[in-house]
Amino acid sequence: MKTFEYSRAHDVTDAVHRHGSSEDAKYLGGGTNLIDLMKYGVESPSRLVDITHVPLTKISPLPGGGLRIGALVRNSDLAADPRVVRDYPALSQAILNGASPQLRNMATTGGNLMQRTRCYYFYDTAFACNKRKPGSGCSALEGINRIHAILGQSQNCIAVNPSDMSVAMAALDAVVHVEGPDGKREIPILEFHRLPGDTPNIDTNLRPGELITFVDLPPSLVARHSAYLKVRDRNSYAFALTSAAVALQMDGGKIRSARLALGGVAHKPWRAKEAEALLVGKPATGESFQSAAEVALQGAQGYKYNTFKIELAKRTIVRAFSDLAGGAA
Ligand code: SF4
């Protein structure tokens, strides 16, 4: 491992100052992804700014309703918070579907948003990988690509975002607050992560030195009736092959409002707004949900080993909505 400078920040201003806008510096929270990446030689920062003592550990009500989640709230605490369980059940379920209890006890809200892909070739420095080393090529294109993207990919990278939490946040219209050398700003969750395009080495739209401080969940009636369904190779401690965060608000026998975000299919949480619009005014039936699934997967493209994901994603959507509608209709 490369030698690096370590320091501990005591508040946000101090953290941002210690980091500077160096591309070579990293914030260290729970460390559940970054430390692995450093051990594998995938990340080799010259400076680590430990933010674990920065006071961003609270979940607070927002004045107009909704919740503000500190970036250092542990995944376990967020999933168990009674307000999250009651008002944003998809978020609680998504977090509990991720990783293991030990990892969730360490992992933070901000870190979960920042975790990097689990593409095998990204972690193995013996292979070409445009995300790890721009311009070197993409070993997954002709390699073992069973877990890879079917939507939004490019010829430079077909990796998927591994986060469950972020998928639920995408369906719930979360807003990410950041602070950096140029001040504070807010980033809607759908603009936080990037598609790979020509620069798959860049995962997010954060600017150099910016630190995630909070995530806001807006008040939402539809969010109260939401759920997360994850399909994976084994029932725990596995990343999603496909997943769906869904929400429904009913008006009599018709759908008034719907939310749909997919995980395991793209370089970012994939919000399917056209599919949501199609559901409005429709009855909550398998036929409606199948139509929405077809729209959501329009344009999907598979590779040698992952074409099955296109049908699997459709079935995940139909089942997630159907299970949820059992209580909504
Ligand atoms: Fe690297 Fe992306 Fe290709 Fe995986 S899919 S090898 S992360 S460029």
Side-chain angles (χ1 to χ4, degrees):
M1 193 185 289
K2 189 178 112 181
T3 304
F4 57 87
E5 176 190 313
Y6 168 91
S7 70
R8 177 176 283 169
H10 56 81
D11 62 24
V12 171
T13 307
D14 184 34
V16 170
H17 176 72
R18 287 173 189 270
H19 186 292
S21 48
S22 163
E23 305 239 334
D24 212 13
K26 293 279 177 193
Y27 293 114
L28 175 66
T32 54
N33 190 203
L34 178 59
I35 300 299
D36 279 350
L37 290 165
M38 290 172 68
K39 287 178 179 171
Y40 286 124
V42 177
E43 300 261 21
S44 46
S46 59
R47 186 184 307 158
L48 273 191
V49 180
D50 182 341
I51 54 169
T52 53
H53 287 221
V54 174
L56 295 171
T57 55
K58 294 212 164 33
I59 304 173
S60 330
L62 287 165
L67 288 178
R68 170 158 292 182
I69 303 159
L72 291 169
V73 172
R74 304 285 176 181
N75 284 184
S76 305
D77 294 332
L78 184 56
D81 187 282
R83 296 162 293 186
V84 174
V85 173
R86 182 190 64 207
D87 297 338
Y88 307 95
L91 179 58
S92 176
Q93 293 166 21
I95 294 169
L96 292 175
N97 269 280
S100 65
Q102 292 88 344
L103 285 166
R104 294 195 294 268
N105 286 343
M106 282 301 292
T108 64
T109 303
N112 197 321
L113 287 168
M114 295 298 292
Q115 66 175 307
R116 308 206 70 188
T117 185
R118 261 60 183 186
C119 171
Y120 330 109
Y121 304 108
F122 176 64
Y123 283 78
D124 190 336
T125 55
F127 286 89
C129 171
N130 286 324
K131 184 178 282 297
R132 178 170 26 79
K133 190 174 177 196
S136 62
C138 172
S139 297
L141 281 173
E142 302 295 331
I144 304 299
N145 44 37
R146 183 171 177 274
I147 64 170
H148 288 74
I150 52 173
L151 288 164
Q153 65 273 51
S154 75
Q155 279 305 298
N156 296 301
C157 180
I158 58 172
V160 297
N161 184 295
S163 172
D164 296 294
M165 184 198 80
S166 301
V167 179
M169 286 185 171
L172 300 173
D173 294 310
V175 177
V176 183
H177 291 245
V178 303
E179 187 165 337
D182 297 326
K184 301 178 183 180
R185 66 187 181 112
E186 300 173 13
I187 310 172
I189 186 80
L190 299 183
E191 295 166 24
F192 184 81
H193 298 99
R194 297 177 71 254
L195 290 177
D198 295 333
T199 50
N201 52 310
I202 307 171
D203 290 345
T204 73
N205 285 315
L206 282 175
R207 295 174 189 150
E210 283 185 329
L211 172 68
I212 300 170
T213 49
F214 303 101
V215 177
D216 284 356
L217 295 175
S220 165
L221 286 176
V222 70
R224 279 196 157 215
H225 201 75
S226 62
Y228 186 74
L229 177 64
K230 178 174 180 176
V231 180
R232 47 188 158 169
D233 282 327
R234 56 171 186 253
N235 206 27
S236 71
Y237 199 33
F239 293 97
L241 289 169
T242 59
S243 70
V246 295
L248 282 176
Q249 188 184 5
M250 299 301 296
D251 185 1
K254 300 275 173 62
I255 296 168
R256 176 185 288 181
S257 179
R259 298 284 182 278
L260 172 60
L262 299 173
V265 298
H267 197 258
K268 60 184 286 187
W270 191 266
R271 179 80 176 264
K273 289 197 173 184
E274 280 184 40
E276 293 173 2
L278 183 139
L279 286 171
V280 174
K282 300 277 192 334
T285 61
E287 197 176 314
S288 303
F289 301 140
Q290 184 67 44
S291 303
E294 297 294 338
V295 168
L297 271 296
Q298 258 173 16
Q301 181 200 339
Y303 295 84
K304 185 172 180 184
Y305 296 105
N306 74 344
T307 306
F308 74 97
K309 276 191 172 191
I310 299 173
E311 179 61 24
L312 186 64
K314 291 179 188 175
R315 293 184 186 203
T316 306
I317 293 168
V318 173
R319 189 175 131 200
F321 271 127
S322 299
D323 288 352
L324 187 66

